[in-house]
Amino acid sequence: MLRPFRRRPAGGQNPIDAPLPPGTSPLLEIDGLSVGYEVGGAFTTVLDGVSLTVEDGEFVCVVGASGCGKTTLLKTIDGLIAPSAGEVRVSGRTAHPRHGDMAVVFQQDSLYPWRTVLANVRFGLDVRGRRSAETDARSRECIELVGLRGFENHYPHQLSGGMRQRVNLARALAVDPTLLLMDEPFAALDAQTREVMQTELLDIWTKQRKTVVFITHQLDEAVLLADRVIVMAAHPGRIREEIRIDIPRPRDLHTKRGERFTAYVDHIWNLIEEEVRRSLIPGTAQETRTGA
Amino acid sequence: MSGVTSRERRARHTTMPPAPGPRRRRGSGRRWRGYRAVVSFAGFLVVWHVAAEYLVANPLFLAGPISTVQAVGTMWADGTLQQDLLVSADEFLKGFGAGLVAGVLLGLLLGTSRRAKDYIDPLINGLYATPLVALAPLFILWFGIGETKTVLLVFMLVVLPIAINTDAGIRATDPQHLEAARSFGASRLQLFTMVRFPTSVSFLVAGIRMGIGRGLIGVVVGELFGSQSGLGYRILVSSQYFQTDVLLAGVLIFSVTGVLLVKIFEWLERRVAPWQSGQG
């Protein structure tokens, strides 16, 4: 049984909660973020002192060996997990799902089987208010954007994996988030579909200019998509290195054959390989402290 | 709901080159299944007919299919069938309706409150394992030989599977679905109405299907013990007069009703929950 170590204090009183004037801070600020779980009295640190800022319109990919806390980081940014120390601020405000400035594209199977494509895409809008002609129109726009026009009335089980992930993306875009969080969205797709989806995502990102934090374990995916790749280390999860990807845009699948591209991927792989090896040595695998 | 009819599938098959690919096994189409159902049903009628006319050869102990159907006609003509049906249908609908409402409410309580489940679950499990029809004599003691005890019996039989399935459905909610909703800022109430409850619908459907069968058993048993009307009563009386044709006519009507109710319900299910079909 995993239980969050500490609940976030009720928001609102914190002076940091007051929105700052625009232009004075980056869109996403992660400040000394630690997340831990108490398991049977023992305290396990998942994230330890993660600090990161993401500028407005930036595409940031987070990679790391499995177990490095990538997904935990994403969920903490979204406010689904309460940090045990540190803070996440979006546009200067402490992050919370109710603020409605973020949307998550999950890995898979998070579409609602009883909702049609249109209704799935509208889900976030339905949560935030009443269904109207406007929310329907907005959802249709997003469906068109991801190239699924004509499938509005299909149910998820009638779609392929790639189409489902497009619906997933459209659902996140429908609420017009300032920050788009993507949790290995293409990991469950086959290699060809994944490559197509990567380029389509780049197209959409170019049009919409959302700020994106993208979690992946595919290094080539990270280098292809990102302005900056954050390499994480595990046990406890922390940032090991930040790499700015200086490959001109627009990028497409040909980018992957470039020399520079391969150099970036190799560099990151070396970092991670080392990390994987280290985590295999007994005794250092998990940093465990006794409870707070 | 694949949207491909058997004819289309066959047509597509014939356009394929004959050599490569495994050959389609003969007789696996949907049409074949239909034929086989007819053959099996006709076979049953023949066996029934032969057994009644030549083996037992005594209408006091076993009426054949022809005289059974004739009995249905006679009962309809003299109006007893309509009367009996009305009484039985009334009992079934009252008991089933009450059982459905109470079952869903109970299931919601069980599915949303861990504490309530801890208290109620042992009772439900005990009751579910008990053949509740054994309570019929007690209900006669309480309510006399009227309709009430049959309605209560139907209710008792229907409420449990519906409650159990509703509860199971709510608890079967995919954590991914909940997390996605939470990430969009859904409140606890919205998590329930937009995620948990829709998930439980498919389970509820299974519960209702079970409830239909059990409810019909309730009607028959209720009417067999201390009743003065209804189809079950007609079956009982006809056995006392050795009218096996009337007896079997009653049984036949029950089985047709059961099949019909399930079919109507499946039709309703396709309209209300179209995502169910085609998933498995």
Side-chain angles (χ1 to χ4, degrees):
Chain A
M1 284 299 254
L2 296 178
R3 235 184 301 142
F5 170 61
R6 185 173 72 90
R7 287 193 179 276
R8 182 214 333 275
Q13 292 83 19
N14 197 326
I16 305 163
D17 272 4
L20 297 174
T24 53
S25 70
L27 186 89
L28 171 66
E29 296 164 278
I30 303 172
D31 200 3
L33 190 71
S34 294
V35 174
Y37 294 106
E38 216 184 298
V39 187
F43 187 71
T44 304
T45 309
V46 182
L47 289 178
D48 190 23
V50 173
S51 293
L52 175 70
T53 57
V54 178
E55 301 296 328
D56 192 13
E58 200 179 7
F59 200 127
V60 170
C61 282
V62 180
V63 298
S66 60
C68 72
K70 301 182 293 253
T71 296
T72 303
L73 174 64
L74 186 107
K75 287 179 182 172
T76 314
I77 294 174
D78 193 42
L80 289 171
I81 295 177
S84 29
E87 200 181 16
V88 178
R89 289 187 297 276
V90 179
S91 309
R93 281 196 302 184
T94 304
H96 193 278
R98 291 281 162 73
H99 290 163
D101 42 16
M102 286 175 280
V104 186
V105 180
F106 291 93
Q107 194 180 109
Q108 57 176 340
D109 292 332
S110 72
L111 293 179
Y112 300 104
W114 55 86
R115 285 177 165 247
T116 60
V117 167
L118 179 67
N120 261 297
V121 172
R122 211 182 52 227
F123 185 86
L125 298 168
D126 285 351
V127 166
R128 281 161 204 197
R130 196 169 288 237
R131 181 185 174 180
S132 67
E134 234 171 276
T135 61
D136 268 24
R138 169 78 194 149
S139 308
R140 279 177 205 286
E141 256 172 53
C142 293
I143 290 169
E144 202 169 334
L145 185 69
V146 298
L148 281 182
R149 196 160 67 168
F151 289 92
E152 288 86 349
N153 295 319
H154 283 59
Y155 285 92
H157 76 266
Q158 298 170 305
L159 307 178
S160 68
M163 289 160 97
R164 270 185 247 184
Q165 279 313 73
R166 286 179 215 201
V167 178
N168 231 330
L169 177 61
R171 180 174 68 178
L173 291 173
V175 297
D176 198 19
T178 48
L179 177 60
L180 190 59
L181 304 171
M182 305 184 78
D183 185 11
E184 304 201 34
F186 307 145
L189 304 179
D190 63 79
Q192 284 84 23
T193 312
R194 188 160 54 224
E195 303 222 310
V196 172
M197 293 296 288
Q198 287 164 1
T199 51
E200 283 186 12
L201 176 64
L202 278 178
D203 280 349
I204 291 170
W205 179 73
T206 312
K207 284 180 211 153
Q208 303 251 318
R209 279 290 154 180
K210 299 276 179 214
T211 311
V212 181
V213 174
F214 189 107
I215 309 286
T216 179
H217 62 261
Q218 298 267 323
L219 303 186
D220 61 332
E221 185 169 83
V223 175
L224 177 72
L225 298 173
D227 296 316
R228 199 152 40 107
V229 174
I230 313 295
V231 184
M232 287 186 70
H235 308 304
R238 60 202 183 277
I239 292 176
R240 186 183 170 89
E241 199 169 314
E242 289 189 29
I243 300 153
R244 191 159 288 282
I245 306 295
D246 280 320
I247 298 176
R249 295 184 188 269
R251 303 176 192 162
D252 55 24
L253 291 179
H254 296 290
T255 311
K256 289 193 178 182
R257 294 190 237 309
E259 224 169 88
R260 233 171 175 189
F261 184 90
T262 329
Y264 278 124
V265 173
D266 282 349
H267 176 63
I268 298 170
W269 171 237
N270 287 336
L271 286 171
I272 289 182
E273 190 180 24
E274 203 179 312
E275 165 60 34
V276 170
R277 263 181 228 292
R278 194 180 310 159
S279 71
L280 290 175
I281 300 167
T284 61
Q286 283 208 341
E287 195 165 302
T288 309
R289 288 176 235 150
T290 30
Chain B
M1 232 178 65
S2 63
V4 181
T5 66
S6 60
R7 192 180 304 161
E8 276 169 357
R9 227 179 288 142
R10 267 152 46 103
R12 207 185 288 163
H13 179 67
T14 51
T15 58
M16 262 166 55
R23 254 186 55 182
R24 198 187 153 88
R25 266 176 59 200
R26 259 176 65 191
S28 56
R30 190 179 296 172
R31 229 167 73 193
W32 279 100
R33 242 195 275 161
Y35 287 146
R36 284 171 189 151
V38 170
V39 166
S40 141
F41 195 68
F44 168 76
L45 286 179
V46 167
V47 169
W48 179 12
H49 180 75
V50 168
E53 299 294 322
Y54 306 104
L55 295 178
V56 180
N58 184 347
L60 291 183
F61 291 105
L62 181 63
I66 297 169
S67 42
T68 299
V69 171
Q70 276 169 347
V72 174
T74 327
M75 287 158 75
W76 180 268
D78 65 17
T80 48
L81 179 57
Q82 291 91 315
Q83 259 180 337
D84 290 339
L85 266 180
L86 218 65
V87 171
S88 296
D90 185 51
E91 288 165 348
F92 178 81
L93 290 178
K94 279 179 184 163
F96 188 84
L100 178 63
V101 172
V104 170
L105 290 178
L106 185 58
L108 292 183
L109 177 68
L110 290 170
T112 46
S113 161
R114 184 73 239 179
R115 193 174 299 180
K117 188 173 165 72
D118 289 345
Y119 279 122
I120 302 172
D121 233 16
L123 299 178
I124 286 196
N125 287 334
L127 279 178
Y128 197 59
T130 310
L132 288 169
V133 292
L135 288 174
L138 182 67
F139 292 164
I140 297 175
L141 217 63
W142 290 350
F143 301 105
I145 57 170
E147 246 189 51
T148 316
K149 62 124 185 12
T150 307
V151 172
L152 188 63
L153 206 56
V154 173
F155 171 83
M156 294 288 288
L157 284 164
V158 168
V159 72
L160 290 180
I162 289 179
I164 290 170
N165 277 285
T166 308
D167 168 37
I170 289 171
R171 289 184 187 280
T173 307
D174 190 336
Q176 282 259 30
H177 287 159
L178 289 173
E179 190 150 76
R182 246 182 242 125
S183 82
F184 283 112
S187 64
R188 272 179 67 99
L189 180 68
Q190 281 174 324
L191 287 182
F192 184 80
T193 57
M194 296 174 79
V195 184
R196 288 185 199 273
F197 188 69
T199 306
S200 76
V201 165
S202 60
F203 285 75
L204 179 61
V205 160
I208 289 175
R209 204 184 297 237
M210 277 173 79
I212 290 174
R214 288 168 60 104
L216 285 176
I217 292 175
V219 170
V220 179
V221 173
E223 289 176 352
L224 284 180
F225 290 104
S227 274
Q228 289 174 312
S229 54
L231 219 53
Y233 166 76
R234 189 68 52 206
I235 290 172
L236 183 72
V237 169
S238 60
S239 87
Q240 285 160 357
Y241 289 99
F242 293 93
Q243 293 173 314
T244 53
D245 53 344
V246 177
L247 190 155
L248 289 175
V251 175
L252 182 71
I253 286 164
F254 267 121
S255 79
V256 169
T257 309
V259 171
L260 228 64
L261 281 176
V262 169
K263 286 286 169 205
I264 290 172
F265 179 67
E266 281 173 356
W267 173 81
L268 215 73
E269 185 190 344
R270 275 197 298 276
R271 309 247 359 215
V272 178
W275 67 89
Q276 298 277 352
S277 43
Q279 267 191 323

